[in-house]
Amino acid sequence: MSATFFHLALTVKNLVKFEDFYSKYFGFRRARVISLGDDAELVFLKNDDNIYFEIFPPEEDRPYPMSEADGPHYPGLRHIAFSVDDIDAKVESMGEDAVITLGPLHFDDVIEGWKTVWLKDPEGNIIEITQGYRDQEDLA
């Protein structure tokens, strides 16, 4: 029985900034809003590739600072990645909202034309923006 990836769940302090950022730069839009009572909402954001973010309001403070560079190197979620045709154009279009934490780095020794940059979203989550990645063809 197969399964389809459905969503990535995130807890955010500022839903408006988070939603504006991902709407403006990655094409996400509201797909559903569920009232949790006391003016709290659970919001589903969706993009044209049917990738969803399930956004929860916080119930407690973050116990430690967010990671830098390409994300944490301990077990858990490291970063969120998006593929684009041109990293330089994407970063330029984001202006001051592109808070780069690492890169851009070239990985031509692995895949000719593969280039990646990491940056922070408004919540401090690390985002990878990559161009030129291709799957390996000789795997069986």
Side-chain angles (χ1 to χ4, degrees):
M1 189 168 167
S2 69
T4 302
F5 180 82
F6 178 42
H7 68 259
L8 179 62
L10 299 163
T11 300
V12 304
K13 291 187 299 185
N14 190 323
L15 175 62
V16 172
K17 281 186 177 180
F18 184 90
E19 185 174 4
D20 287 349
F21 180 86
Y22 282 96
S23 295
K24 183 175 182 179
Y25 300 118
F26 299 103
F28 283 83
R29 63 194 176 283
R30 284 188 176 212
R32 180 170 295 275
V33 177
I34 300 168
S35 174
L36 300 175
D38 297 325
D39 294 325
E41 295 178 327
L42 169 63
V43 176
F44 282 87
L45 302 177
K46 174 184 178 180
N47 73 4
D48 290 338
D49 294 319
N50 288 324
I51 296 171
Y52 289 82
F53 287 143
E54 181 184 26
I55 310 303
F56 290 89
E59 296 179 13
E60 55 190 80
D61 290 334
R62 182 177 291 132
Y64 49 87
M66 294 295 280
S67 294
E68 295 288 327
D70 62 343
H73 289 226
Y74 50 79
L77 181 67
R78 191 158 175 164
H79 54 252
I80 303 164
F82 295 92
S83 179
V84 298
D85 293 330
D86 184 333
I87 284 177
D88 296 326
K90 184 65 170 179
V91 169
E92 184 178 328
S93 76
M94 295 174 75
E96 292 181 4
D97 290 336
V99 180
I100 295 174
T101 60
L102 181 63
L105 299 178
H106 296 266
F107 300 107
D108 290 319
D109 56 333
V110 178
I111 299 172
E112 183 69 31
W114 189 12
K115 181 178 175 182
T116 300
V117 65
W118 292 266
L119 49 93
K120 290 182 187 182
D121 75 8
E123 292 286 320
N125 298 301
I126 301 298
I127 300 170
E128 174 185 340
I129 301 176
T130 191
Q131 73 180 43
Y133 170 84
R134 293 178 307 282
D135 286 344
Q136 191 172 341
E137 294 180 13
D138 59 354
L139 295 177

